[in-house]
Amino acid sequence: IVLTGGDDRLWKTWGFPDGNILLTGEGHTDWLSGCCFRPSGTQLVTSSGDTTVRIWDLSRRGCILTLRGHSRAVRGCSWHSCGDFVASASADGTSKIWDVNSERCRSTLRGHEGSVNSIEFLPFSSTALTCSADKTLSLWDVRTAVRVYTFQGHVHSCNHATFN
């Protein structure tokens, strides 16, 4: 299954390799910037210009949780490998770690001087990687919300970063 999110405010799942649309989800009020399957594959997370992060249940074909707390567009999202946490990166200069079970923000990562454009978890760890319009990437210990390392070297905004 392929998952996409677009400027049309929708997410879609597509059969692979035939390309048939399987499901469509609507509910965001602005463009979608990110989407990611829960490791179990039964749910997904989306991020949007409407400042929210949403959790969707594929069997119910609907939104089961809307996470609010960013003051500007949410630029990206990712799911932790354990399936209990979601991360979001926002144009407000922060990232948030959300506990899906308690439906609350567990921590806010502060330190970038510009929009945070992406966030990824290092699988099976408490480490997250963010990148920013401030031209830096940062490694974070999400348990303590402490930045443990900053990478510098981009001449312009850094838009995405990931682990191998």
Side-chain angles (χ1 to χ4, degrees):
I1 294 176
V2 172
L3 172 64
T4 61
D7 283 351
D8 57 4
R9 305 174 184 173
L10 303 174
W11 60 262
K12 294 181 183 286
T13 59
W14 310 73
F16 178 79
D18 60 15
N20 293 331
I21 296 174
L22 304 173
L23 292 173
T24 298
E26 59 183 72
H28 281 290
T29 59
D30 210 339
W31 46 271
L32 271 68
S33 56
C35 51
C36 182
F37 281 108
R38 188 175 193 158
S40 66
T42 60
Q43 295 177 340
L44 57 97
V45 61
T46 56
S47 55
S48 172
D50 67 10
T51 74
T52 67
V53 175
R54 291 181 182 242
I55 309 294
W56 306 82
D57 188 290
L58 296 175
S59 64
R60 294 187 204 170
R61 298 182 177 216
C63 178
I64 58 169
L65 179 61
T66 301
L67 301 169
R68 292 179 173 86
H70 287 292
S71 61
R72 295 187 62 201
V74 183
R75 307 280 302 161
C77 58
S78 65
W79 216 299
H80 190 274
S81 53
C82 74
D84 293 331
F85 302 100
V86 164
S88 58
S90 174
D92 66 13
T94 69
S95 294
K96 293 186 179 289
I97 307 301
W98 305 91
D99 183 325
V100 177
N101 298 316
S102 70
E103 303 181 359
R104 300 183 64 194
C105 178
R106 183 167 213 179
S107 60
T108 301
L109 311 179
R110 291 182 172 87
H112 282 294
E113 295 176 13
S115 172
V116 184
N117 296 328
S118 78
I119 186 164
E120 296 269 338
F121 286 106
L122 178 64
F124 310 105
S125 79
S126 60
T127 300
L129 175 66
T130 56
C131 71
S132 172
D134 69 9
K135 307 174 199 166
T136 68
L137 297 89
S138 293
L139 283 175
W140 303 84
D141 181 334
V142 298
R143 295 170 300 181
T144 60
V146 171
R147 182 167 34 187
V148 295
Y149 191 79
T150 300
F151 299 89
Q152 297 183 19
H154 277 279
V155 179
H156 298 287
S157 176
C158 184
N159 295 322
H160 190 78
T162 192
F163 295 101
N164 71 355

